[in-house]
Every structure is written in structure tokens, then in C-alpha cells.
């Protein structure tokens, strides 16, 4: 504004009239605010209007001042939203700190009261939200301040005892956690000492002939035949390895030498050379190698499956080729069977499909059971595969998950261990070599069925501009943030939008898919979570990016990822042709064509992934004389399965090891119980491991583990993105709690309460997504349309569409991780997750 502008003259006149002081830095914004309030042709505003304008200018600094005051006083649970709500109602341009704090006190009091039904629940909810959002653990002093605020919000009288009870509980909890940490450090030191003592006891190869009373040549031959266990292989600078042996183990093998020499002599006489190393199906000859864990003979671990005469049918085909239909027809016609799915949502779909065919079917997932009396069929998640009940037919779906670094071992166990006379393995073409390898290790005959798409899949002729989006389009982004950014953009343009991403529960994802399928939502925006587990009537799949962050790096999409996602376009009987495209300025259509035409990716390692189960953990513990899960897993990682084992590789067990490490100081839990906790689906990006330790401590102390609550849920039509994310995190806590309640019902007692809280969260999240979509659609149609940019196409709103296509593989990613269809992600969300997918465990 110039000095001659009406707004400047109005501000100067109002300052003179009111006597208020304004800082120089405030003047530009104040003049703009006053200008909007001026009647055309006027250069004066009344005092009330001016005061309101000055308050509007100062509200942001007031909010910052309140945040500073609350942090200094230890009220760290007070949020920026609280401060903004407090200053919104202040109409005094010079309120002072006391007035600001009084306004804030009213807002915080109302929020604390609305957080939960009881003061204790409110306290735990606020602590959990802080822990989830920032990883912050309140100090005893901060807990005391918070408890006083909650007591005031709930109008508790001074003699109610709430504050004193909190202080006593907090002091006891603090002492317990200190003891847990000290005990954990001491136990870890002892296990490390034990492991080092064992390693120090190992001897080089030169000592083997002396200890075994054999020649060097015999020792080398028996090592090559996998009869002598190499305890440790130490890489050397020149590229060779130094072999080390456990002397006690060698001495114990002396009695076997006459038998080995006789077998070697007979083999030489017959001219057949050395015996064939164990491939996983031999009954004898390799018992010494990792005799306890037996991970190098993993197929033999599944005794029921090995006792059956199994036949494997591998059904290979792209999305929309009818793989599931082929296998389900065989399963429905069998007297008994099971269908194993990667996600809880898919397990439900298998159950519904069998029920629709007149086959009573029970359900088993990590967090729920549905037992149908008299049923001889089961739908389950892969990790819940029953290994000891023979059936006629079984299905293992999405076999390409064998290569997944977090859950691949579960597919190995399911395919090797499913006790079915006829096993159908369904998957993309990429999985063929590894399934063949597994069938060979199991000694099972394998036949293959290859299917083609029922409807053609074509690449569009040009990228899609945002104004060209149409009903039945699905936009694919690669992070929750990008999905919600696109959603906000399209709602503003009047579209009705459904969303699917990994942090949503299966129930909400399914409801969103139904809104899209039945036409209540025009456009679907999803992460690659739609790659499996949802039936969607998509006409056109449109990538918003051709690169993704995979938990480690940002990279181009692989051909399998492009095929899996693009294959969702076109639904037989609905859309006879599936179309694949990319948003303008987000990448090249030629990249998509190349990926769709590419042969299956070569897997870098065809050895199936394996990991120990509860029986193996107990056996190794007995062998090494320790009840420390940390020590057992350390020994397994060091010595049980050789890195160059020809048949198997040890799965990534980093999260299980991290949980075991954190639980070392929790006394009162058995080794088996700690192993269950180590398998719990938590995401350490949300401080899941620390929360698990708190729950385990309550369990070990024989205290009931209280389920997480829903917290305060504002009206769905007014919820912001932060509140939505908070609800999603609360849902993750409930998933983990319910998973544990299925294993430890005596400690996790309030299952009904947890299920009700889960249902409330699911309903609220779906209401938020549905109502905001409807409201945005109605508002856009009731209001005049804003002018649309001619060239648009990126989530950040910048222009730049280029005729004839965009730069190859130039997709953008928000950099905040990927959403996976299962783990909360999946994910594993650190490396994906530093963990596993919560759905399906």
C-alpha cells in the first residue's frame, strides 16, 4: 500500500482514534486486512472493525506466544491447534499473557474432558498420542502437571485421590522401567559374554584331524558332504574363509566315524562319488548340521506335510486372469480345505466366496476368529496356516511374496508346510523359479497352469491432464501424504473421491472400495495397496509418479510393480478394456509400455527365506543353556544357517531381534512368551517396540494390559488431516493389542472393549472420508467454478505439461515412506517396516 492509499489513511485515522500501538512490521498486513473491510470509496473504518483487524493480524504471534509459555511451564501436551482455538475468540488487541492463558485454559479443559470418559483413560490417551506423534515420554513432573489439569477438567474434588494415585503409579512405573533397563543391559552383557566365550572356544581346521582321530583328507571330505558342521566362517582379506569348529561337537561325532568310512568306501566302490548333500527331504545323513534348529533341512520340519503324498499346482497369470476362480472351484468341491491369503481383507473375501458356493467356512487371522460349527474349510492369513490338520485342497495366494524381505518366510512356511494333498499356489510369473525350487526341496510333483488376462490392457495414447479425469479412474500415488494431497485437490474441483492406502484398516479400505464401485465416488486415489486384496471396477489406472520410496531409497518402479498395479484396470464384465496412463508431467508412457512388455524380473537369490518358529527357538535355547531370547537369536544369526547354504537363506529378523533386545529386562515372561511378543505386528516408526515393552511389563507383573482407547473424535465433517492420522495410529495400537489378546487372553482381558473401540475408529475414519467427499462435491457444485489452469498435473500444483509426453520416469514422491497393503506397513512404514504387516498376522 502507498501512503496515499485509502487503507493507509484508514489505519492512521484508527490509530489516532483508538490510541493503540502498532509495530512497524505489523503495518503491511494490517493495511491489507483493513483494505478488505473498507467500503468502496471510503477511507475510514470504525473502531470495532479496526480492533478486529488488528486482532486478526496478531493471532498467529499470540499462538506462538502461548506455545512458548506452555513449553516453559511443562505443558507439553498442549498443541498448536489448542493455541489457535484459544486466540480465535480473543477480541482485545492487547490481551497480555494472563488473558491469553485464560482463553487457552478454557480450550484445553474442554479438550481434556472430551478425550475419554474417565480421567485415567484421558491421561493414558494423551500420553499415548504424544508418544506416537513425537516419541516423547513424559517426565514425572510433566505427568503431575497433566494429572492436575485433567482433574480440573473432570471437576474432581481435592479429596478424590486421582492426583495422588497418579503420582504413586508413576513413581512405581518409573522404578519398574529403570529396573527393566538395568536388567536388560545386564542380561545382554551376559549373553554377549556367553557368545564370545563360545566363539573363543572354537578351533581352526588344523585341529579337526586330531580331535576326530582322522586324516586331513577324511575331514575335508566329510565337510564337503555336510557331515562335519563348520561352526563359523570368518572372511579373510584375501577373499578366502577361515573355518572354525566347535571342539565339543567334533568329539561327540567320533562314534559316527566308522559308519561314515563304510559309506564312503561303498560309494567309492560303486563309483558314484561322494553322497549328495541333503536337499531337505533326506531322513539321514545331515542330522549333525544345525541339528537343533535344522534350518538347513527346513522342509523336513513340517512332518505332517511330508507324511502326505502332496501334489502342487502352480497357477500363474497377471491380474484379472481368473487365478483365484480356478483354485476356488477346486477348493469348493473338496471335502476339506483351506485358503491362505496375504491380507485379512483377502481372507474375508475367500471365506465369502466359499460361503456363496454353499461351503461353510471358518476364519482365522492374527486378530480375529470366526468358528463355524461343522465347517471343514478355513480361510486364513498366510501366517496363520495350520500345519497339523491334513486337508484335501489348499490355496496359497500371491506367491510372489516369497521374495518380500519382511514376510517372505511366511510364504515359504505355508507352501512347504500346508498339509494338503493338493496344493494350489497362485501368483505372478515372477514367482515361478522359487516355487519350482520349493517343490524340489519338498520332493513334491509340480504342474503349472498359465492364464492370460480376460480383458485387454492397453496403454493410453497420451498423459492425462487433471481436467480430463473421469468416473471410474484410479490415481496411483506412493505415500499417504500424496494420496491426501490429491484428494484435497480433487475435492476442491468437485469430484467425489474414495481413497485406499496402507494405514487404513481393511474395513475402511473395503468401504472406500465399495463407494467407488457403486458410483458414490467418482475417482479412486490409492497407493500400491490396491495391488492385492480389493475387487475394483477401474476403467483407467493413472500413475501420478513412476518412482517410489521403498523404505531405503527412491527408485523407479519395477516391471512387476507396474504390472501388478496397472493390471487393476479393466474388470471382466464391467470394463471390457483396461487402460493405463500417467498424469501429465509425471512420467513417460513409454516407460509404462516397456515395463508391461518386460519379462519377469530375475530374482537375485532363488533360495527361499526361512526363519525359526517357537519349537526351534526352544530347542536352540536348550542346546545353548540359555532362556534369553536375545541370546538365542544372536546364536541363530551367527551360526545356525550358513550364509552359503545351497538351499535356504535366513530371513531378515532385525525387528524380532530389536524386540528381543528391548524385552531382555522384563522378568516374569517365559522364553515362548517373549518370542510371541517378538512376532507382534508393530511399526517402530510409531514407537511400537517401546509400547510393546510397557505392555509386556504389565503382563509380566500380572497386571491387566489396558487396551488403547479411541481418544477424542471430533465431528467427522470437521476433522483435519492431523486428526485423521492420529485416529489411524490409534487403530494400529488396537491391532497390535488385539493380536496379543488372541495369544494372551488372561493378560489382555478387555477384548470386547478393544473390538468396540476398533469399530468406532473404523466408523469415524470412514465417516471422515465419506462426508468430506460428499461435502466437497456439493460445495463445488453450489459455488461458481474457479478458473482451471490450462496446464496442470502435479500434486504440488505447479504447471508444466509438455505436449507429446513428459520426461521419462519423472514421477515425484513425498519422501515419507510407502504405504503397503498390509504392515503398519504393512510397512515396517523404518524399513518397512522395520517390521511386518499388521494385517494378516
Amino acid at each position: 500500500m502507498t501512503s496515499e492509499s485509502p487503507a493507509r489513511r484508514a489505519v492512521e485515522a484508527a490509530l489516532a482514534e483508538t490510541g493503540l500501538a502498532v509495530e512497524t512490521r505489523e503495518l503491511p498486513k494490517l493495511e491489507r486486512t483493513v483494505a478488505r473491510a473498507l467500503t468502496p470509496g471510503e477511507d475510514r473504518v470504525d473502531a470495532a472493525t479496526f480492533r478486529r483487524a488488528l486482532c486478526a493480524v496478531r493471532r498467529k504471534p499470540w499462538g506462538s506466544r502461548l506455545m512458548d509459555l506452555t513449553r516453559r511451564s511443562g505443558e507439553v501436551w498442549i498443541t498448536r491447534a489448542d493455541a489457535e482455538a484459544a486466540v480465535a475468540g480473543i477480541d482485545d488487541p492487547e490481551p497480555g499473557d494472563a488473558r491469553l492463558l485464560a482463553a487457552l485454559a478454557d480450550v484445553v479443559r474442554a479438550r481434556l474432558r472430551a478425550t475419554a470418559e474417565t480421567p485415567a483413560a484421558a491421561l493414558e490417551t494423551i500420553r499415548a498420542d504424544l508418544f506416537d506423534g513425537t516419541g516423547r515420554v513424559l517426565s514425572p513432573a510433566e505427568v503431575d502437571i497433566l494429572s492436575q489439569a485433567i482433574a480440573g477438567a473432570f471437576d474432581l474434588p481435592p479429596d478424590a485421590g486421582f492426583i495422588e494415585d497418579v503420582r504413586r503409579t508413576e513413581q512405581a512405573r518409573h522404578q519398574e522401567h529403570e529396573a527393566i533397563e538395568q536388567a536388560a543391559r545386564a542380561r545382554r552383557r551376559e549373553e554377549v559374554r556367553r557368545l564370545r566365550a563360545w566363539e573363543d572356544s572354537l578351533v581352526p581346521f588344523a585341529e579337526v584331524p586330531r580331535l576326530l582321530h582322522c586324516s586331513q583328507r577324511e575331514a575335508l571330505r566329510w565337510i564337503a558332504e555336510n557331515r562335519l558342521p563348520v561352526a563359523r566362517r570368518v572372511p579373510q582379506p584375501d577373499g578366502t574363509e577361515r573355518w572354525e569348529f566347535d571342539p565339543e561337537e567334533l568329539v561327540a561325532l567320533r562314534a559316527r566315524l566308522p559308519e561314515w568310512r563304510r559309506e564312503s568306501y561303498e560309494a567309492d566302490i560303486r563309483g558314484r562319488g561322494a553322497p549328495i548333500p541333503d536337499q531337505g527331504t533326506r531322513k539321514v545323513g545331515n542330522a549333525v548340521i544345525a541339528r537343533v534348529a535344522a534350518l538347513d533341512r527346513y522342509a523336513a520340519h513340517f512332518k505332517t506335510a511330508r507324511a502326505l503324498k502332496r501334489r502342487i499346482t502352480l497357477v500363474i497369470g497377471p491380474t484379472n486372469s481368473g487365478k483365484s476362480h480356478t483354485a476356488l472351484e477346486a477348493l469348493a468341491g473338496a471335502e476339506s480345505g483351506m485358503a491362505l491369503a496375504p491380507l485379512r481383507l483377502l481372507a474375508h473375501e475367500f471365506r465369502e466366496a466359499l460361503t456363496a458356493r454353499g461351503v461353510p467356512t471358518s476364519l482365522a487371522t492374527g486378530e480375529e476368529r470366526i468358528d463355524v460349527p461343522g465347517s471343514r474349510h478355513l480361510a486364513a492369513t498366510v501366517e496363520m496356516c495350520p500345519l497339523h490338520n491334513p486337508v484335501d485342497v489348499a490355496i496359497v495366494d500371491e506367491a510372489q511374496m516369497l521374495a518380500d524381505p519382511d514376510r517372505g518366510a511366511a510364504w515359504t512356511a505355508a507352501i512347504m508346510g500346508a498339509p494338503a494333498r493338493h496344493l494350489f499356489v497362485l501368483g505372478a510369473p515372477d514367482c515361478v523359479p522359487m516355487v519350482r525350487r520349493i517343490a524340489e526341496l519338498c520332493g513334491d510333483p509340480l504342474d503349472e497352469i498359465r492364464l492370460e488376462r480376460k480383458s485387454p490392457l492397453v496403454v493410453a495414447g497420451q498423459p492425462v491432464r487433471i481436467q480430463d479425469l473421469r468416473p471410474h479412474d484410479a490415481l496411483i500415488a506412493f505415500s499417504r501424504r500424496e494420496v491426501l494431497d490429491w484428494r484435497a485437490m480433487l475435492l476442491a474441483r468437485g469430484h467425489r473421491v474414495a481413497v485406499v492406502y496402507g494405514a487404513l484398516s481393511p474395513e475402511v479400505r473395503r468401504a472406500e472400495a465399495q463407494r467407488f464401485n457403486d458410483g458414490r465416488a467418482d475417482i479412486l486415489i490409492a497407493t500400491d495397496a490396491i495391488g492385492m486384496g480389493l475387487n475394483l471396477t477401474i476403467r483407467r489406472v493413472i500413475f501420478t509418479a513412476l518412482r517410489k520410496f521403498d523404505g531405503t531409497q527412491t527408485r523407479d518402479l519395477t516391471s512387476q510393480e507396474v504390472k501388478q498395479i496397472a493390471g487393476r484396470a479393466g474388470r471382466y464384465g464391467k470394463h471390457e478394456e483396461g487402460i493405463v496412463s500417467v498424469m501429465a508431467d509425471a512420467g513417460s508412457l513409454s516407460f509404462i509400455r516397456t515395463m508391461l512388455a518386460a519379462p519377469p524380473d530375475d530374482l537375485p537369490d532363488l533360495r527361499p527365506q526361512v526363519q525359526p518358529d517357537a519349537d526351534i527357538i526352544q530347542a536352540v535355547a536348550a542346546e545353548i543353556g540359555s532362556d534369553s531370547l536375545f541370546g538365542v537369536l544372536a546364536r541363530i544369526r551367527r551360526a545356525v544357517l550358513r550364509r552359503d547354504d545351497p538351499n535356504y537363506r535366513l530371513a531378515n529378523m532385525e525387528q524380532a531381534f530389536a524386540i528381543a533386545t528391548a524385552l531382555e529386562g522384563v522378568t516374569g515372561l517365559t522364553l515362548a512368551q517373549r518370542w510371541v511378543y517378538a512376532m507382534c505386528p508393530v511399526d517402530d516408526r510409531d514407537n511400537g517396540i517401546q509400547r510393546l515393552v510397557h505392555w509386556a511389563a504389565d503382563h509380566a507383573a500380572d497386571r491387566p494390559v489396558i487396551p488403547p482407547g479411541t481418544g477424542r473424535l471430533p465431528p467427522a465433517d470437521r476433522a483435519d488431516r492431523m486428526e485423521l492420522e492420529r485416529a489411524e495410529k490409534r487403530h494400529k495400537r488396537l491391532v497390535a493389542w488385539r493380536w496379543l489378546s488372541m495369544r494372551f487372553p488372561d493378560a489382555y482381558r478387555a477384548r470386547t472393549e478393544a473390538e468396540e473401540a476398533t469399530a468406532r475408529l473404523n466408523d469415524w475414519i470412514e465417516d471422515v472420508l465419506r462426508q468430506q467427499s460428499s461435502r466437497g462435491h456439493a460445495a463445488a457444485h453450489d459455488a461458481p467454478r474457479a478458473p482451471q489452469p490450462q496446464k496442470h498435473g502435479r500434486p504440488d500444483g505447479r504447471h508444466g505439461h509438455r505436449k507429446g509426453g513428459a520426461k521419462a520416469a519423472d514421477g515425484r514422491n513425498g519422501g515419507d515412506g510407502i504405504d503397503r497393503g498390509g504392515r503398519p506397513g504393512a510397512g515396517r512404514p523404518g524399513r518397512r517396516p522395520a517390521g511386518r504387516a499388521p494385517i494378516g498376522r
Side-chain angles (χ1 to χ4, degrees):
M1 300 288 175
T2 67
S3 59
E4 300 300 322
S5 71
R8 171 63 64 86
R9 290 195 295 271
V11 168
E12 290 175 348
L15 288 173
E17 177 184 351
T18 61
L20 294 168
V22 176
E23 296 182 17
T24 302
R25 61 182 176 83
E26 295 177 313
L27 281 173
K29 187 173 182 180
L30 180 59
E31 290 177 21
R32 290 193 297 271
T33 305
V34 168
R36 289 192 291 269
L38 279 175
T39 302
E42 297 290 332
D43 61 358
R44 292 290 188 275
V45 293
D46 59 57
T49 299
F50 178 73
R51 294 168 72 88
R52 285 195 297 272
L54 187 53
C55 286
V57 169
R58 290 178 171 174
R59 282 196 175 100
K60 186 174 180 180
W62 289 344
S64 298
R65 175 61 178 163
L66 279 175
M67 294 303 294
D68 181 55
L69 291 171
T70 56
R71 293 303 178 265
R72 291 183 184 184
S73 62
E75 298 169 290
V76 295
W77 62 88
I78 292 177
T79 67
R80 171 68 65 173
D82 292 331
E84 291 173 354
V87 302
I90 294 178
D91 56 7
D92 178 2
E94 297 176 341
D97 287 350
R99 175 72 179 86
L100 292 174
L101 289 170
L104 179 64
D106 291 339
V107 170
V108 172
R109 177 186 176 89
R111 178 168 74 87
L112 293 177
R113 185 63 185 83
T115 295
E117 294 183 0
T118 66
L123 177 65
E124 289 308 312
T125 297
I126 291 168
R127 291 175 68 152
D129 285 343
L130 268 173
F131 191 57
D132 277 343
T134 64
R136 178 161 192 149
V137 177
L138 294 179
S139 68
E142 290 168 340
V143 172
D144 194 62
I145 297 170
L146 175 57
S147 66
Q148 294 179 49
I150 289 174
F154 281 81
D155 297 319
L156 297 179
D159 59 352
F162 171 71
I163 296 174
E164 289 71 19
D165 288 345
V166 170
R167 286 171 179 163
R168 285 194 296 271
T169 301
E170 188 61 24
Q171 182 179 12
R173 178 183 292 186
H174 182 72
Q175 291 173 348
E176 182 179 63
H177 290 168
E178 282 292 315
I180 287 173
E181 282 297 319
Q182 292 178 8
R185 287 192 291 270
R187 291 197 61 167
R188 289 195 294 266
R189 283 196 298 268
E190 172 59 22
E191 289 304 318
V192 170
R193 185 203 63 77
R194 182 198 299 268
L195 182 59
R196 287 176 177 168
W198 172 76
E199 291 176 343
D200 290 343
S201 72
L202 302 180
V203 298
F205 173 75
E207 293 292 310
V208 173
R210 180 183 64 81
L211 290 169
L212 273 181
H213 303 160
C214 69
S215 69
Q216 186 180 75
R217 181 178 178 181
E218 286 177 317
L220 287 172
R221 178 170 185 163
W222 293 331
I223 291 171
E225 293 173 356
N226 283 339
R227 297 180 189 269
L228 291 184
V230 180
R232 191 166 66 146
R233 298 167 184 252
V234 183
Q236 301 299 296
D238 61 359
T240 61
E241 288 182 331
R242 185 179 74 248
W243 292 354
E244 297 180 345
F245 300 81
D246 186 331
E248 293 184 6
E249 202 161 26
L250 294 177
V251 170
L253 292 174
R254 285 177 183 170
R256 303 290 303 276
L257 265 58
E259 175 188 351
W260 294 351
R261 285 169 174 148
R262 183 177 65 254
E263 290 178 357
S264 297
Y265 174 77
E266 292 173 353
D268 288 341
I269 291 296
R270 291 193 299 267
R272 298 204 321 240
I276 299 173
D278 178 35
Q279 297 296 308
T281 59
R282 289 168 51 101
K283 305 299 183 187
V284 295
N286 200 24
V288 173
I289 301 297
R291 64 180 183 275
V292 175
L295 288 178
D296 63 336
R297 295 177 293 117
Y298 191 66
H301 182 66
F302 304 100
K303 294 181 172 56
T304 305
R306 298 291 75 77
L308 296 173
K309 187 177 180 181
R310 294 201 322 170
R311 176 165 62 96
I312 300 177
T313 296
L314 176 58
V315 185
I316 298 301
T319 307
N320 283 336
S321 60
K323 297 188 297 294
S324 297
H325 176 80
T326 299
L328 278 169
E329 288 298 306
L331 180 59
E335 291 188 6
S336 61
M338 59 178 150
L340 304 176
L343 306 175
R344 186 161 65 93
L345 185 152
L346 258 177
H348 274 279
E349 289 193 359
F350 274 142
R351 178 173 179 268
E352 291 166 3
L354 289 168
T355 302
R357 289 169 166 83
V359 180
T361 305
S362 296
L363 178 81
T365 73
E367 57 191 272
E368 64 182 326
R369 301 284 191 281
I370 299 176
D371 293 318
V372 177
S375 68
R376 300 191 64 190
H377 285 71
L378 173 71
T381 44
V382 169
E383 284 86 352
M384 300 299 294
C385 175
L387 300 173
H388 305 296
N389 300 318
V391 296
D392 292 321
V393 175
I395 297 173
V396 178
D397 199 8
E398 304 290 354
Q400 65 273 11
M401 289 289 288
L402 282 163
D404 185 84
D406 299 307
R407 296 179 68 196
W411 266 257
T412 302
I415 296 174
M416 285 190 163
R421 296 169 182 87
H422 191 177
L423 175 63
F424 286 85
V425 178
L426 317 181
D430 307 60
C431 75
V432 171
M434 194 173 289
V435 174
R436 289 174 178 168
R437 183 72 172 270
I438 289 175
E440 180 184 355
L441 290 168
C442 293
D444 294 329
L446 174 72
D447 56 275
E448 299 178 17
I449 299 174
R450 293 183 177 265
L451 303 176
E452 302 297 330
R453 275 184 64 96
K454 293 185 175 182
S455 58
L457 183 65
V458 299
V459 180
Q462 60 184 12
V464 177
R465 299 174 302 169
I466 194 168
Q467 58 265 38
D468 295 331
L469 293 173
R470 297 291 180 265
H472 302 293
D473 282 348
L475 270 63
I476 309 301
F478 292 99
S479 72
R480 175 187 183 274
R481 188 185 76 185
E482 288 183 348
V483 166
L484 295 180
D485 284 347
W486 276 101
R487 175 176 177 268
M489 185 190 305
L490 295 185
L491 288 179
R493 289 174 169 265
H495 291 288
R496 295 174 301 176
V497 177
V499 295
V500 171
Y501 51 90
L504 297 178
S505 71
E507 292 81 4
V508 174
R509 273 185 273 171
R510 195 168 190 175
E512 287 289 281
Q514 188 60 43
R515 285 204 305 117
F516 175 73
N517 286 343
D518 65 21
R520 287 176 291 145
D522 306 320
I523 294 174
L524 176 70
I525 309 173
T527 62
D528 45 354
I530 72 162
M532 63 174 74
L534 288 172
N535 289 318
L536 296 161
T537 56
I538 298 171
R539 179 181 66 91
R540 184 168 59 168
V541 163
I542 305 167
F543 289 89
T544 67
L546 297 177
R547 293 172 63 80
K548 66 183 277 188
F549 181 72
D550 63 6
T552 303
Q553 61 180 343
T554 299
R555 57 166 176 78
D556 290 345
L557 299 178
T558 66
S559 62
Q560 172 58 25
E561 288 166 340
V562 172
K563 292 171 186 175
Q564 189 79 4
I565 297 168
R568 308 300 292 182
R571 173 62 60 178
Y572 185 67
K574 297 287 187 180
H575 303 295
E576 298 307 317
E577 181 180 71
I579 302 171
V580 188
S581 191
V582 65
M583 289 302 297
D585 202 36
S588 167
L589 288 169
S590 63
F591 176 83
I592 295 177
R593 291 191 189 95
T594 300
M595 293 296 101
L596 290 178
D601 293 333
D602 291 330
L603 296 176
D605 194 335
L606 292 181
R607 295 176 302 166
Q609 300 178 78
V610 298
Q611 68 181 19
D613 59 15
D615 292 339
I616 292 173
I617 291 293
Q618 294 279 17
V620 173
E623 176 70 10
I624 67 175
S626 172
D627 65 349
S628 164
L629 182 58
F630 169 85
V632 169
L633 293 182
R635 180 64 65 91
I636 288 174
R637 292 206 307 182
R638 291 283 189 98
V640 168
L641 187 66
R642 296 183 351 230
R643 291 187 179 182
D644 64 343
D645 185 274
N647 301 320
Y648 303 102
R649 55 191 165 118
L650 192 63
N652 189 324
M653 297 182 62
E654 290 303 316
Q655 177 156 305
F657 195 80
I659 294 173
T661 302
L663 288 175
E664 276 298 285
V666 179
T667 58
L669 293 179
T670 66
L671 178 69
Q673 288 171 328
R674 290 200 297 276
W675 175 245
V676 171
Y677 275 100
M679 292 291 101
C680 183
V682 296
D683 187 345
D684 197 35
R685 293 175 302 178
D686 295 326
N687 303 295
I689 294 178
Q690 294 95 316
R691 187 180 307 107
L692 212 57
V693 173
H694 299 331
W695 291 350
D698 286 341
H699 179 185
D702 201 25
R703 297 188 295 263
V705 184
I706 305 302
T710 63
R712 174 178 173 270
L713 300 176
D717 60 346
R718 294 200 295 272
D720 60 24
R721 187 181 294 193
M722 183 179 297
E723 288 163 331
L724 178 62
E725 182 176 10
R726 187 179 298 124
E728 292 166 359
K729 289 183 176 181
R730 287 169 177 159
H731 187 276
K732 280 186 180 181
R733 295 180 220 155
L734 281 162
V735 167
W737 192 97
R738 290 172 60 198
W739 190 93
L740 288 164
S741 75
M742 298 293 294
R743 281 92 182 150
F744 305 124
D746 291 340
Y748 294 75
R749 303 169 191 170
R751 181 164 180 81
T752 299
E753 179 183 337
E755 289 174 347
E756 291 172 351
T758 302
R760 283 196 301 274
L761 279 173
N762 282 331
D763 291 345
W764 183 85
I765 292 170
E766 176 54 22
D767 279 348
V768 169
L769 299 175
R770 175 175 50 81
Q771 291 190 29
Q772 291 182 356
S773 178
S774 300
R775 189 178 74 245
H777 179 71
H781 280 75
D782 291 343
R785 286 293 184 95
Q788 295 183 349
Q790 293 181 351
K791 297 178 179 180
H792 200 326
R794 298 205 309 217
D796 58 12
R798 289 181 284 168
H799 306 330
H801 172 61
R802 294 172 52 169
K803 294 181 180 179
K807 215 183 299 181
D810 190 27
R812 271 86 178 159
N813 184 282
D816 55 354
I818 57 176
D819 295 302
R820 300 180 188 254
R823 258 164 95 281
R828 134 146 73 309
R831 74 180 175 82
R832 185 208 146 231
R836 54 188 67 76
I839 303 162
R841 291 276 171 153

